[in-house]
Amino acid sequence: MATKNYIRLASSPQVSALSTGVFASVDLSAFVDPLHSLAFHIVSADIQLTQSTAPYGLCNSSTTAANGNAIGMQFATGAQVAMLRPNDGKVIYHKFASYVVDADAVTSWTEETFHVQTLWPEGYIAVVDNLTAMIQGTANLNSADFRMTYTITGYQKKVSANQLASLLVAQTQS
């Protein structure tokens, strides 16, 4: 039985303007080689919005925007410039969150997540060499001191020629 050598990719790019979105490129070229039928089998992913100066990176309610600020976070194959729907065949992971301020001025975050295993029960087999990590919101937060922190975990996997061809078509079409 072959041993799986898990690989964890992580980054924490600065968020400049949440309303226009932050789209960070994730280079998989060291792990994907279509000529040799090598793919990157993604088994888990996560994205968080963190605050650089707040204790432990948590978002501080005093620096958060007004009621109803919605935020979408996702990984998708290719070089994306806009958020995609979770049911798009290119979406690997999707999370959305909303900052809620009720009538009593009680504030809270609520979020829902479509994990890799939710969207792709066997994991996502990437054969393209680029993913996009993205975060976008309906309004900017009051502080520009935020980061998008993400992680991807997976391993290299050999795929058949037929599977490679099928995956390349699905992951590169517009």
Side-chain angles (χ1 to χ4, degrees):
M1 185 168 156
T3 302
K4 296 176 186 172
N5 293 317
Y6 283 89
I7 301 161
R8 182 177 171 268
L9 308 171
S11 185
S12 188
Q14 185 73 33
V15 173
S16 54
L18 191 61
S19 60
T20 57
V22 175
F23 302 92
S25 180
V26 182
D27 183 9
L28 296 180
S29 62
F31 315 109
V32 174
D33 185 359
L35 286 175
H36 296 98
S37 297
L38 282 178
F40 188 63
H41 190 164
I42 299 170
V43 295
S44 69
D46 192 32
I47 299 176
Q48 296 292 331
L49 179 65
T50 62
Q51 193 171 358
S52 300
T53 59
Y56 314 110
L58 299 174
C59 289
N60 183 333
S61 62
S62 67
T63 60
T64 311
N67 188 24
N69 189 26
I71 300 169
M73 300 168 243
Q74 72 181 204
F75 285 105
T77 60
Q80 304 300 330
V81 293
M83 296 291 283
L84 303 174
R85 292 186 175 133
N87 64 347
D88 187 297
K90 295 181 178 188
V91 175
I92 298 165
Y93 168 91
H94 183 85
K95 178 192 290 188
F96 56 94
S98 180
Y99 186 72
V100 180
V101 180
D102 70 14
D104 298 323
V106 175
T107 58
S108 66
W109 280 102
T110 182
E111 65 180 49
E112 295 292 330
T113 304
F114 293 95
H115 294 282
V116 175
Q117 298 294 334
T118 305
L119 295 170
W120 306 95
E122 300 295 321
Y124 191 88
I125 300 172
V127 294
V128 294
D129 62 0
N130 185 49
L131 300 179
T132 301
M134 55 191 110
I135 185 167
Q136 193 168 15
T138 56
N140 274 325
L141 301 176
N142 292 337
S143 172
D145 186 34
F146 289 94
R147 292 194 168 280
M148 168 178 60
T149 301
Y150 66 81
T151 59
I152 300 171
T153 304
Y155 56 90
Q156 278 187 314
K157 178 179 183 171
K158 189 93 165 150
V159 294
S160 70
N162 287 342
Q163 188 178 19
L164 175 68
S166 171
L167 290 169
L168 275 172
V169 169
Q171 293 176 17
T172 57
Q173 67 184 1
S174 299

